[in-house]
Amino acid sequence: MSELKGREQEQAEPSWSPLEDARVDRRDFLKLAGFFVGASALSACSRGAVNKAIPQIVGPEELVPGKALWYATTCGGCSAGCGALVKARDGRPVKLEGNPEHPLSRGGLCPIGQAAVLELYDSKRLLSPLLRGAASSWQAVDAEVAGALRRARSGAAVRVLTGTIHSPSTRRAIARLLEGLPDAKHVAYDALSACAIRDAHALSHGRRALPRYRFEKARSIVSLDADFLGTWISPVEYAAGWRAGRVPLGNPARMSYHLQLESRMSLTGANADRRIVIPAGSEALIAAHLADHLARRAGVRSPYSSLPKPPLPAAELASIAGRLWAERGEALVVSGANDLAAQLAVNHANELLGAYGKTVNLRGASQQRLGDDVAAAELLEELEAGKVALLIVQGCNPAAELPAPGGSWERILSRVGLVVAVSSHLDETASKAAAVCPEPHFLEAWSDAEPTVGIAAVAQPAVRPAGSTRPFVESLAAWAGRPQKALDQLRSIWRQRLGPAGFEEAWAKVVHDGWHASTPEKGAGAFNESAASSLQPASLPDGDGFRLVLYPKAAMLEGRHAQNPWLQELPDPVTKVVWDNYAALSPAAAKSLGVETGELVRVSVGGQTLELPTLVQPGQHDRAVCVALGYGRAGTERFHDFAPRWISGKPTVAKGERVGRNASGQLRFESGRLVYSGLLATVEKAGGRRPLACAQEYHSLALPTRLAEKPGESRDIVRETTLAEYRKSPKAGNPGAHSAASLWPKSLREGNRRWAMAVDLNLCTGCSACVIACQAENNIPAVGKDEVGRRRDLQWLRIDRYYAESEEGVSVLHQPMLCQQCGNAPCESVCPVVAISGSEDGLNQQTYNRCVGTRYCANNCPYKVRRFNWFEYRKAGAAENLALNPDVTIRSRGVMEKCSFCVQRIQEAKIEAKSRGETLKDGQIRPACQQSCPTQAIVFGDAHDRASEVAGRMADPRRYRVLEELHVDPAVGYLTKVRNRDKA
Amino acid sequence: MNGPVDYKARSLTVALAAAIVLSVGLLARSAMEINWLGNDEGYAPKQPLAFSHRLHAGEMSIPCLYCHSGAERSKTAGIPPLNVCMNCHAKVSSSFLAVRAEAAAAEKEKRRPRLVVSEELRKLYDALGVDPEGRPIPGKAPTPIRWTRVHNLPDFVVFDHRPHLGAGLACQTCHGPVETMEIMRQSASLSMGWCVNCHRATKVEAPLLNWPRKAPQGAQHASVDCKACHY
């Protein structure tokens, strides 16, 4: 201490200072210096960033900066081939929407299609070819393939393995490559196969075809484990058809009847009028019994001699058959089982019901699933035997989707002379291939599609391709020795379709419209009864072991889009879990195993073991264990750094780990076909936990028990009734609001217009297309698993799922919940900085630049629809930022946000109408959620305009408003769900 | 002086003194261009090409919308693509005076007059990769001109030119006397108060407001809803 003091004294007497005379001591000098340096540094940053404005060199005629252009295209998200419109702003696609004029999808677009625009800007997409793991050129890859093809001319085997290809130009290009080669074959498979349906029709109708199902013509639908509203073959098309009969109309009111028999709880089951839980793998037996009952009703000989006992009461089966029979000609039986016996029995039932040519069309058949499991299984054997010299893989990822013979894809692919993977990512197959040929995104290239025979479509590029990718058709043409641009190939094949006379006009129209319909050739084959009933369904094996059900999730399907964070974060429509797959067990099964949600279980099938967290799923068969496919995919390790980093933040996946676990190792080929359901499995508690992030256990509108006036009192947020009750009174199930006194004098929204929305719960299937549509339109970031677990998801529109238990079993209700744009908005009155205000046309305006982030509004919102930006979610310089919609502000950290009714679309439509001197017409403004809804469950418009569609729905006796008793005057109305049942 | 000279302390003093001098200089320089937060009134950055609005919009009386045609059709008025410039400048490559001087000189020297290309227009032709007659020069890649944007609004503001034009506002109302500006300058403050005052004060005819029923009589002021600009 003393030493220190001494030093200070020594320093306090500087005798050398040059500033001594100015009486500025050292400290003052330092202060002065500090001030000046600081001030000059500060003043140097007084101006904001200098922005550059860079005009085009030569402006294209139709492109006006700041104005969106829309192009028709075909969605390439899956093989359903829905019609899409792409919005391009300043040459950059930012949004995909359904094409309302498309004959199949009719304006809807599923979550995968909506999210595809993000994949265009995927920073991990391959942009140039790879040869043996190293960056290469197209010439080098082509030389390598040419060498292999030369060997093939002298007899070596060439195999092209693809997913379903219904593009006429690609099919022709493959045929041209393979023609003249002595041992060459194109094998297509589907990871989610419908092969049994085609095989069954080959036997029963003499045509290997997948029929086009016309749900719009069906008054009575029986689905045996076909998730046709969620994931089965062409869900948007089917949902658009299903919608036709779902609104009770007429006097007495009529609706279609939809019965779902299934072992797991699917989205389609959740929407059914009646749902019967059956053991997994019993579809064939039930279908055969149904055909048997129908044959008896029809008075014809039963196709089956003796059937094993069905897993449900005979009286039940008889009543189902009776219901179908009563509406024969307008009835439809479908089954999702990839089991020949089941599909033959279904064909038999449909034939007896007179469904062919009406609800089941073999004329204009579907080409959305062309995979042939038998051929794929044969190819696997050939690969294992080392017989293949050249394998070209495109549009599929067999190493992640199919069980390898012997268990190792590494081993069997090493026996192939040359493996060429045409892929956009270094996925499981591409990483084992010698050559990787990246394809452009479907928004970057010309392509065509023919999803059903006669309905063909063209997809046009909306942006110049990034990097040096090459369309598959161009690669094929180059390898065949006849290089030709994709557009030229397309035009030459379309010249045949449209005819040479007036081709240019016709072609321009097809490109403009996005599709072209022609009369499908050939009628359906005649029904061959003996062939149809040649396969007797096996009886159910005894014992009460678990049956494994491998199923696709609505957002993930077979896993092709596993690297898309929007889709990973889309809550599953039924379980609401994000960023994971899991073993779903019924409450009783979970109890018997002593596990709860999140605890790990070990699921084993024939030596293949999988450790997954449990999810307790009501309404599922007690002996079923259901695991989603499409997870555990290569590349999902990237999500380790996805979530915002902060002191308690956890990564979405541990370093080097993948999102979920890949269950495709549990798939089996049985008599050449992939079996997804009914495999005997053992399930045991594994110990340990992997927490699941579920987006339903919060944002709850339910009344906390301690606040309930009566014990067990619940608020009727979702309302449902039965058709029988509805016929008695159209207000059934919808008792009207409490009439308690209101604190509010009257609605503050007395303006000239009132923007309003009405959601028909009868039509809403919960498919979640609207959620992703909203996310894409409004620049909503995905936040990662940990943040969702902390209730900090940002989706403006969520779909609440409610379970109701009755004697009919568990029923599920879905309710889209978004900002209700209240007239007397409780959020407005608590904002200390007036960042929320009411507009003259009834909108509740969130003004981001004024918000200081107190979050009082979120606390005071009875609907829990406000979202807070806890972090800055966009990463500077990330390519993914290019998917942002320039018409919507990007919110920064600390700002509250919520649904705006797509105010940017309202403003745009108003300004456009004004500049044309017109008044807005009803239906001109369509928010993103309404636009993409496959069933048109959402209607938006001016509630004060009596002629508007939304006003019509608001006047419906089914209409109610959520928590109306709070007198907040919401602008969103819901229409009570009516199920076609006799009793609740 | 007692004790040895502390060279370390002395050099530090010299360095700090130099820093003070430098700072004063910097401060004096930046004081001239200090712009207080959120207000860039009078901002007139130097542009890569000395384009004169006075000459084009003033002297030549070219309508604003000839070049900024986006104002009628889009949110943004837009900066014209270079092919718009070439509509005139494929024929006009320098000022009239320079052409006349060259013609006079050529006559004196008994030769054909040479093509006169002004220094600034040379930049335009270089950017397009063409010669002064608009013919592409082989092997010369076009490079866009990187203008410095003068009128900047924060990212949370949506401004749309269309309704303002529709309401009959002159461009000069917001952009000032552009036809007199040699160098483009931000003439209004573009602050929110400035916008809202005009929205309150300016009346437009009711049909323009697009009210479907009980259309208000006479003129109405423009919307002052938050969502008119912020979404």
Side-chain angles (χ1 to χ4, degrees), chain A residues 399-442:
Chain A
E401 292 165 352
L402 293 179
S408 164
W409 271 93
E410 193 85 59
R411 194 175 56 87
I412 65 165
L413 285 183
S414 67
R415 294 181 183 181
V416 180
L418 179 71
V419 182
V420 179
V422 181
S423 167
S424 293
H425 286 96
L426 213 51
D427 57 27
E428 286 85 346
T429 310
S431 58
K432 298 174 184 71
V436 184
C437 305
E439 275 184 292
H441 189 270
F442 72 84

Side-chain angles (χ1 to χ4, degrees), chain A residues 29 43 51-53 56-57 65 67 752 837 839-841 845 849 887 889 903 907-908 912 914 942, chain B residues 16 30 40 73-76 79 81-83 147-149 152 162 208 211 213 225-227 230-231:
Chain A
F29 177 74
S43 69
N51 292 325
K52 293 289 176 192
Q56 272 155 330
I57 293 167
K67 198 157 169 64
N752 209 284
S837 54
S839 82
E840 59 193 13
D841 43 11
Q845 313 164 102
N849 43 315
D887 294 330
T889 303
V903 61
Q907 296 291 71
E908 175 69 24
E912 273 295 305
K914 264 185 216 174
D942 177 10
Chain B
L16 285 174
S30 56
D40 284 348
R73 294 184 285 166
S74 164
K75 275 180 181 160
T76 51
I79 290 176
L82 303 185
N83 61 320
W147 302 96
T148 300
R149 195 175 160 152
N152 292 296
R162 287 170 289 177
L208 278 170
W211 286 29
R213 283 165 307 286
D225 277 343
C226 302
K227 68 127 177 28
H230 300 295
Y231 48 84

Side-chain angles (χ1 to χ4, degrees), chain A residues 606-676:
Chain A
Q608 292 275 348
T609 303
L610 207 59
E611 262 191 18
L612 288 162
T614 308
L615 181 104
V616 179
Q617 174 63 58
Q620 179 177 305
H621 192 264
D622 282 342
R623 302 323 286 166
V625 51
C626 308
V627 179
L629 291 164
Y631 282 82
R633 302 301 283 262
T636 53
E637 296 91 347
R638 66 190 291 183
F639 294 119
H640 176 69
D641 315 320
F642 183 74
R645 279 193 200 167
W646 60 294
I647 193 154
S648 309
K650 292 194 207 79
T652 299
V653 286
K655 193 151 189 75
E657 268 192 34
R658 297 174 178 180
V659 177
R661 299 284 177 272
N662 192 346
S664 70
Q666 324 287 82
L667 278 173
R668 290 288 171 275
F669 279 103
E670 264 177 31
S671 46
R673 272 173 222 93
L674 285 165
V675 178
Y676 298 91

Side-chain angles (χ1 to χ4, degrees), chain B residues 178-194:
Chain B
V178 176
E179 69 281 4
T180 65
M181 292 179 194
E182 198 64 53
I183 295 173
M184 189 62 202
R185 185 180 73 243
Q186 179 179 327
S187 115
S189 74
L190 303 187
S191 68
M192 180 165 147
W194 176 82

